[in-house]
Amino acid sequence: FSGAGGGNDIQWCFSQVKGAVDDDVAEADIISTVEFNHSGELLATGDKGGRVVIFQQEQENKTQSHSRGEYNVYSTFQSHEPEFDYLKSLEIEEKINKIRWLPQKNAAQFLLSTNDKTIKLWKISERDKRPEGYNLKEEDGRYRDPTTVTTLRVPVFRPMDLMVEASPRRIFANAHTYHINSISINSDYETYLSADDLRINLWHLEITDRSFNIVDIKPANMEELTEVITAAEFHPNSCSTFVYSSSKGTIRLCDMRASALCDRHSKLFEEPEDPSNRSFFSEIISSISDVKFSHSGRYMMTRDYLSVKIWDLNMENRPVETYQVHEYLRSKLCSLYENDCIFDKFECCWNGLDRQVEFFSVLHGSIVMTGSYNNFFRMFDRNSKRDVTLEASRENNKPRTVLKPRKVCASGKRKKDEISVDSLDFNKKILHTAWHPKENIIAVATTNNLYIFQDKMN
Amino acid sequence: MAAPLGTGALTEDTGQEKQDTQKEKTVPPERAEEAKLKAKYPNLGQKPGGSDFLRKRLQKGQKYFDSGDYNMAKAKVKNKQLPSAGPDKNLVTGDHIPTPQDLPQRKSSLVTSKLAG
């Protein structure tokens, strides 16, 4: 729907791109997570090298009404280091799997970042003043000879160049035997959950030496293992409710009031499978790679290899909507299995709330976005049922130029601007995307670059 | 199972493709792909999501080295070459002993992310 006209259609324009231009990508530079904070003013990225980079949106310039503020580097720090667990002979990657922001309570910002084993709470604070005029110290810090002090003065705070400091405030370690795939902050803003392949733990943000296990799907005999947990999220409004998805395409909703260990679900969401369509690949492509609640909490969205599904929490037996992301890949599954692409974990996200047109069109929950290959990403408008494919590429570099929709030719004769399935670059995957909570600004991560797109404001 | 990604283009046998488009009229694309895979790897197990596959996924990151085994193996083959790394560095079967070369190298110090540059 980009460029198609009509009041409700968003026209996406390139705004910024961050990262190196060179094709030779160092493994550490691979972006592994992208997340806006609750106001949208800050945008955090995590990478395979364990680093976090936070961008801050510029305050809107009154004279430059054509574009919303640009994002500039605000803070960067090493969140996790590579480790080796000698007892288990296990290499622990420093890759940041997820970042989740806490809502802002005071001047400082807080976020949780996690690798495979350890979750950390980081405090990001600003310092723009420093005390000057000490009696016993020179301005450069050297101590003065006390005998030369003849008068007393009161030190005062003077402005200084803004310094942004990140410090780890809590380290939540040693609670996960398997690899952490998700963290989710509860709506009580006091607790959060962390999920690995087989277990989900509940933490209190203030307490690091203890966590409660709330889901455990490890079978007594590992030979009987049939499914693993792939993602988990707390309900946005109900602090006792959370969901977790599995490698078999199911989602379980659990209520912590029902029992201490939520091994028995309150609801099980599963789409019945057509047995005649079952193949070797069926289970693999049904594995859910991401689950996200809508803001209202009435719906949730899941992403499996080929599609995005919207579920109504009141209906367990099938999704209310299904959107095909790249159905043309169904006839390429053999190759995608051989090159491991079939195991790629794509994320998905809901649109934010457009403050410009609050009562019309682009309300939250009306558009969903997800990535694909060849640096393509897809958006589905739930109301108009239209969809669009866009590309994150340095070729569309001019700000305020509307992105041209892309089209993949599945079979038959390829039209002029189309790209054939066999020409798609499967090394160029967009796994992580994020939508500003309040504006039509999106962040799209390619392998090692971060693209920011905005809608064209007229 | 992983083949190098190379240029990113999928390798397709065009002769097979023609056959498949005819087959696709009656056979769903997934089944056709399954047949292709089984033709290439006849020993492939029935259940892809089964316990072996999942357990391998859970074991990601496991590295093995036993200095006792390594030195015993070295002593056994005094005149011959030192045991060398097999094709799968993490596989410990039979006489294959993980060697110091198999161990993860200490990663070089990290620089600032290029996103912040």
Side-chain angles (χ1 to χ4, degrees):
Chain A
F1 45 79
S2 170
N8 296 351
D9 292 347
I10 302 177
Q11 299 189 302
W12 292 104
C13 304
F14 170 85
S15 174
Q16 297 170 270
V17 61
K18 308 280 185 192
V21 186
D22 53 84
D23 283 332
D24 199 13
V25 182
E27 211 167 297
D29 291 326
I30 296 173
I31 299 173
S32 51
T33 186
V34 181
E35 188 83 356
F36 280 100
N37 75 336
H38 291 255
S39 66
E41 188 204 351
L42 300 178
L43 174 60
T45 61
D47 66 23
K48 228 176 167 207
R51 299 164 300 189
V52 170
V53 182
I54 301 175
F55 301 93
Q56 182 188 42
Q57 191 178 26
E58 262 174 12
Q59 291 308 305
E60 272 179 49
N61 192 335
K62 296 285 194 280
T63 58
Q64 248 196 327
S65 55
H66 291 297
S67 63
R68 299 181 175 94
E70 280 202 340
Y71 282 85
N72 301 315
V73 179
Y74 178 66
S75 171
T76 177
F77 54 93
Q78 186 75 36
S79 172
H80 288 71
E81 299 270 3
E83 287 175 67
F84 196 84
D85 180 338
Y86 296 101
L87 200 60
K88 296 181 189 162
S89 277
L90 202 66
E91 190 173 38
I92 301 169
E93 270 194 304
E94 67 276 34
K95 172 167 77 89
I96 309 295
N97 293 332
K98 283 284 173 351
I99 289 172
R100 289 287 182 263
W101 290 92
L102 264 67
Q104 193 174 10
K105 283 195 286 194
N106 52 37
Q109 299 277 358
F110 288 86
L111 61 78
L112 284 176
S113 74
T114 187
N115 70 346
D116 283 340
K117 296 286 180 180
T118 304
I119 308 126
K120 296 188 183 182
L121 176 70
W122 286 89
K123 176 180 178 182
I124 296 109
S125 47
E126 292 183 0
R127 193 197 291 260
D128 60 358
K129 302 184 257 295
R130 64 157 177 250
E132 285 177 19
Y134 286 105
N135 291 290
L136 297 175
K137 273 199 287 189
E138 303 286 0
E139 292 308 330
D140 61 9
R142 281 179 304 145
Y143 280 95
R144 290 169 72 184
D145 177 356
T147 59
T148 64
V149 178
T150 53
T151 58
L152 284 180
R153 55 188 176 172
V154 179
V156 291
F157 275 96
R158 295 221 187 277
M160 63 179 249
D161 286 340
L162 181 67
M163 198 163 73
V164 182
E165 302 167 319
S167 60
R169 305 302 287 180
R170 306 269 186 277
I171 313 255
F172 304 91
N174 302 319
H176 285 278
T177 306
Y178 302 99
H179 299 110
I180 297 174
N181 51 58
S182 313
I183 46 175
S184 175
I185 299 171
N186 201 346
S187 51
D188 66 9
Y189 300 146
E190 285 188 344
T191 57
Y192 74 93
L193 63 76
S194 57
D196 67 32
D197 290 314
L198 297 179
R199 298 190 177 106
I200 303 179
N201 293 331
L202 180 72
W203 301 84
H204 191 286
L205 283 164
E206 299 290 321
I207 299 168
T208 57
D209 64 355
R210 214 171 328 158
S211 80
F212 291 98
N213 176 243
I214 52 178
V215 172
D216 187 340
I217 64 166
K218 183 177 177 186
N221 180 356
M222 284 298 266
E223 308 265 325
E224 291 162 27
L225 181 68
T226 55
E227 69 185 317
V228 295
I229 297 170
T230 51
E233 192 175 63
F234 263 120
H235 189 278
N237 308 318
S238 166
C239 59
S240 60
T241 308
F242 65 93
V243 293
Y244 68 92
S245 59
S246 85
S247 52
K248 278 179 135 171
T250 64
I251 309 103
R252 287 173 175 80
L253 184 141
C254 300
D255 190 326
M256 295 193 289
R257 295 168 297 187
S259 71
L261 188 61
C262 297
D263 278 359
R264 287 179 55 195
H265 53 263
S266 301
K267 293 196 186 198
L268 173 66
F269 297 85
E270 186 172 15
E271 182 164 27
E273 189 188 26
D274 180 359
S276 65
N277 275 342
R278 188 164 177 79
S279 76
F280 177 86
F281 305 108
S282 300
E283 195 175 299
I284 302 177
I285 62 173
S286 73
S287 176
I288 292 172
S289 48
D290 196 13
V291 63
K292 293 260 169 51
F293 275 107
S294 67
H295 285 3
S296 64
R298 164 91 192 269
Y299 297 98
M300 65 180 173
M301 163 166 56
T302 58
R303 175 71 155 98
D304 51 72
Y305 190 60
L306 297 179
S307 67
V308 164
K309 294 180 179 168
I310 310 291
W311 302 80
D312 182 326
L313 254 59
N314 297 320
M315 187 158 73
E316 296 169 61
N317 61 352
R318 59 179 168 83
V320 289
E321 291 151 38
T322 300
Y323 299 101
Q324 300 302 336
V325 181
H326 36 219
E327 178 68 12
Y328 45 78
L329 295 184
R330 199 181 289 271
S331 46
K332 303 293 179 194
L333 293 177
C334 178
S335 309
L336 293 168
Y337 180 86
E338 289 181 287
N339 62 18
D340 275 354
C341 284
I342 205 175
F343 302 108
D344 286 336
K345 296 184 176 63
F346 292 94
E347 291 174 8
C348 54
C349 64
W350 298 89
N351 68 322
L353 178 70
D354 187 342
R355 67 174 183 206
Q356 297 286 108
V357 284
E358 267 161 0
F359 296 99
F360 304 105
S361 65
V362 204
L363 296 178
H364 168 76
S366 60
I367 309 179
V368 299
M369 169 167 68
T370 191
S372 178
Y373 295 106
N374 209 71
N375 283 347
F376 288 171
F377 58 101
R378 304 265 286 135
M379 291 198 195
F380 301 93
D381 186 321
R382 294 179 61 208
N383 297 323
S384 67
K385 301 300 179 207
R386 287 207 289 270
D387 62 84
V388 70
T389 304
L390 299 172
E391 183 179 3
S393 140
R394 283 176 185 272
E395 282 167 25
N396 310 325
N397 247 353
K398 289 203 294 219
R400 294 204 297 284
T401 313
V402 177
L403 291 182
K404 193 175 114 168
R406 309 286 292 155
K407 188 131 169 57
V408 177
C409 170
S411 59
K413 204 163 144 70
R414 186 178 73 89
K415 298 199 190 98
K416 190 175 148 236
D417 284 333
E418 292 181 351
I419 180 167
S420 75
V421 183
D422 294 321
S423 307
L424 294 174
D425 188 341
F426 289 85
N427 282 331
K428 296 188 174 169
K429 319 168 203 255
I430 290 179
L431 303 174
H432 312 285
T433 60
W435 202 306
H436 190 292
K438 300 190 165 79
E439 300 178 29
N440 283 334
I441 301 176
I442 54 176
V444 173
T446 59
T447 307
N448 64 328
N449 285 171
L450 183 72
Y451 286 79
I452 298 174
F453 301 103
Q454 296 185 5
D455 80 20
K456 188 179 174 116
M457 287 164 72
N458 285 312
Chain B
M1 260 303 154
L5 285 165
T7 58
L10 292 170
T11 50
E12 279 293 353
D13 181 350
T14 46
Q16 186 75 352
E17 219 172 8
K18 276 201 189 134
Q19 253 183 325
D20 278 342
T21 23
Q22 277 165 8
K23 260 202 244 169
E24 267 166 44
K25 289 189 179 139
T26 47
V27 178
E30 252 180 75
R31 286 282 181 83
E33 290 296 299
E34 181 179 24
K36 256 193 243 177
L37 193 68
K38 295 233 161 108
K40 282 195 188 180
Y41 309 101
N43 295 325
L44 202 60
Q46 260 311 314
K47 279 168 45 96
S51 113
D52 284 343
F53 165 74
L54 287 175
R55 275 190 299 167
K56 187 168 169 198
R57 172 189 168 144
L58 296 181
Q59 278 186 329
K60 178 187 85 161
Q62 202 90 37
K63 307 279 177 197
Y64 298 98
F65 177 74
D66 185 313
S67 62
D69 280 349
Y70 176 67
N71 284 304
M72 295 280 284
K74 243 171 64 167
K76 254 194 257 180
V77 289
K78 266 182 283 209
N79 301 325
K80 299 181 204 158
Q81 274 191 312
L82 289 175
S84 54
D88 184 343
K89 288 183 180 175
N90 291 327
L91 201 61
V92 180
T93 55
D95 290 331
H96 169 63
I97 308 292
T99 63
Q101 291 83 0
D102 294 345
L103 293 179
Q105 297 305 312
R106 189 178 166 277
K107 292 189 185 186
S108 55
S109 304
L110 293 167
V111 295
T112 312
S113 164
K114 293 191 180 128
L115 290 184

